[in-house]
Amino acid sequence: MVPTTVKQSDISITTSLNVNLDAIATNIETIKKRQPHKKMIGVIKANGYGCGDVAMSRILEKHQCAMLAVSSIREAVHLRNHGVVLPILVLGVTPKDDLTIAKTCNIIITVAGYDWCLECNDQLENLRVHIKIDSGMNRLGCKSETEFKHCISILSDKGARIEGVFTHYAKSDDKDDAFSMHQFKLFSSWVKASGYDFKWIHADNTDATIKFNEDFTTAFRVGIGLVGLSSTSLRLYPAVSFTTKIVSCKPVKKGERVGYGLTHMFMDDGFVAVLPIGYDDGFLRMNQNRKVYINGRYYDVVGRVCMDQCMIYSKNRINRNETVEIFGPHIPLPIIANELNTIPYEVLCMISDRVPRVYYHNNHIEKIEVFRF
Ligand SMILES: Cc1ncc(COP(=O)(O)O)c(C=O)c1O
């Protein structure tokens, strides 16, 4: 094998997820203003909602975010290995065997129930924890006030460092806040009744941070709002776009067919252009027949989406290297999510590690991150 000094980031970009760091900075500041007296927890699980966990943690750190939250100890260790020093809370359940790693890497663990405490009781000493209360979503957390009290008692007995308590809203994106109010009442009453002096009390995600304002919690957890999305009317800036470039364009005749299975027949003479993006990039086969945007016009994706490529039809020739927007200013992420019968969170998570992340600051590329090829 011939070694090379070529860096992945030196190779030309065709398909990319473009992350506008200035928009993220503005969103952080806008959201902070909704709850100015509370601490911000930046939720950057799932590789920072696809935008890159390390890059997201850097910008959060720069904007005085107090803590990061991730889904697993694996994600937390990834951040530590990249020099991230902010407190990190793992929102998911951590296996007993990994609690030593949590202590070594100074990672805060979620206590999701009493059975977990019992199983881990010989590992709890000096472990930093936030206890989770299940106030109605029926996912993780103590399901009864008694279970919550038992957790506090065993954690205290075994010398764990109980730093926080939290819950999660099931319907904060709903117009009707009745169920969220019910969850908040239950959560706050259990926490008050425990008499425990928690430093970190948190419940709000992006929508709840924007909509609610109580003075019981001391922090809020924001994920999707960082990239400029919420189901409220607060003005945030969409911070991500997904683009690629035309790599080939050639004439086709009426009656010719395209792609695997030849599922689409051209009804007119025209051109077929190839985009170097396919389902391995997270541009799934269900995008067949959806539209992409190029220089003032929308074009149909025709035929089956392949692993690495897909095709569009155009009446006129399109120049090679023309930029193609999959989502962005002309095809907003919530629209494509809706067309794909899903939510923006899932669309972002589907964008695979093969897609380079290109970070913009002051309209210039600041950094390119390549996770795999
Ligand atoms: C426990 C928890 N807190 C906070 C968040 C952040 O939610 P959002 O992205 O809506 O701000 C999530 C996201 O799913 C979560 O699971």
Side-chain angles (χ1 to χ4, degrees):
M1 198 178 82
V2 184
T4 138
T5 52
V6 177
K7 287 193 257 121
Q8 284 292 334
S9 54
D10 291 339
I11 299 171
S12 306
I13 299 287
T14 48
T15 299
S16 61
L17 184 71
N18 313 300
V19 182
N20 180 341
L21 296 172
D22 302 313
I24 293 175
T26 307
N27 294 334
I28 295 174
E29 293 305 329
T30 306
I31 294 168
K32 275 198 329 202
K33 280 194 194 121
R34 304 299 289 200
Q35 310 248 7
H37 307 299
K38 297 184 191 176
K39 289 185 282 259
M40 178 173 192
I41 302 175
V43 181
I44 52 166
K45 56 196 180 136
N47 197 17
Y49 288 40
C51 296
D53 55 351
V54 176
M56 291 300 281
S57 64
R58 298 271 180 257
I59 185 146
L60 283 159
E61 197 166 9
K62 204 164 141 195
H63 287 264
Q64 291 81 43
C65 172
M67 183 178 280
L68 303 171
V70 295
S71 69
S72 64
I73 183 120
R74 212 175 269 287
E75 290 186 348
V77 167
H78 183 254
L79 291 173
R80 285 284 182 259
N81 287 348
H82 283 79
V84 174
V85 293
L86 274 176
I88 305 175
L89 169 66
V90 173
L91 295 168
V93 176
T94 303
K96 174 181 175 173
D97 288 347
D98 296 336
L99 295 180
T100 326
I101 296 173
K103 288 181 212 171
T104 313
C105 297
N106 198 15
I107 291 164
I108 307 161
I109 294 303
T110 288
V111 172
Y114 187 61
D115 53 352
W116 182 91
C117 292
L118 283 181
E119 186 195 325
C120 301
N121 79 85
D122 58 346
Q123 294 293 323
L124 298 176
E125 194 173 359
N126 275 328
L127 187 69
R128 299 178 68 184
V129 297
H130 286 202
I131 306 174
K132 184 157 191 189
I133 288 178
D134 177 4
S135 55
M137 180 157 163
N138 272 315
R139 197 169 64 175
L140 296 180
C142 299
K143 181 80 197 216
S144 69
E145 192 171 359
T146 312
E147 184 182 4
F148 174 49
K149 283 182 178 155
H150 283 153
C151 282
I152 296 180
S153 132
I154 186 171
L155 290 163
S156 307
D157 284 354
K158 299 290 175 188
R161 293 158 59 187
I162 309 174
E163 298 177 2
V165 64
F166 71 107
T167 194
H168 191 49
Y169 291 122
K171 283 177 74 180
S172 62
D173 57 344
D174 206 299
K175 287 207 168 30
D176 180 355
D177 292 325
F179 195 73
S180 299
M181 292 304 103
H182 157 78
Q183 287 189 267
F184 175 73
K185 269 191 195 145
L186 188 136
F187 171 65
S188 53
S189 70
W190 292 7
V191 175
K192 278 180 203 155
S194 76
Y196 200 91
D197 186 18
F198 293 99
K199 184 172 167 216
W200 293 79
I201 305 175
H202 45 112
D204 295 355
N205 66 342
T206 297
D207 287 337
T209 304
I210 294 167
K211 287 199 292 186
F212 305 153
N213 201 356
E214 28 68 25
D215 52 16
F216 179 69
T217 56
T218 63
F220 53 86
R221 305 185 302 271
V222 169
I224 200 81
L226 302 173
V227 295
L229 295 173
S230 91
S231 45
T232 72
S233 56
L234 181 70
R235 189 172 154 76
L236 296 170
Y237 288 90
V240 278
S241 68
F242 193 18
T243 56
T244 185
K245 284 186 176 156
I246 301 287
V247 289
S248 154
C249 184
K250 58 197 171 191
V252 284
K253 291 256 175 265
K254 180 178 174 181
E256 283 186 50
R257 290 173 175 269
V258 62
Y260 285 123
L262 302 177
T263 55
H264 178 86
M265 187 170 75
F266 298 110
M267 304 310 279
D268 272 311
D269 292 358
F271 291 84
V272 64
V274 180
L275 322 183
I277 183 172
Y279 56 79
D280 186 46
D281 300 288
F283 191 67
L284 303 189
R285 281 166 52 112
M286 58 175 115
N287 283 292
Q288 178 171 352
N289 298 330
R290 278 201 53 263
K291 293 201 186 301
V292 298
Y293 175 91
I294 307 165
N295 199 12
R297 289 215 184 120
Y298 294 87
Y299 297 85
D300 290 327
V301 175
V302 290
R304 289 186 181 147
V305 173
C306 314
M307 187 185 286
D308 319 301
Q309 282 146 33
C310 68
M311 285 68 85
I312 60 172
Y313 172 77
S314 171
K315 188 74 197 124
N316 304 305
R317 183 177 283 283
I318 313 177
N319 292 333
R320 287 185 62 247
N321 295 319
E322 197 78 65
T323 298
V324 181
E325 178 182 316
I326 307 296
F327 66 75
H330 307 93
I331 305 178
L333 181 48
I335 302 283
I336 162 170
N338 197 37
E339 285 173 6
L340 294 173
N341 205 12
T342 181
I343 51 174
Y345 299 72
E346 196 178 31
V347 175
L348 286 175
C349 288
M350 278 186 308
I351 297 168
S352 80
D353 287 354
R354 176 162 88 169
V355 174
R357 270 56 173 178
V358 180
Y359 299 98
Y360 287 85
H361 174 45
N362 283 339
N363 290 325
H364 285 98
I365 294 179
E366 182 174 280
K367 194 176 166 52
I368 296 171
E369 195 81 69
V370 182
F371 304 119
R372 82 162 163 96
F373 348 101

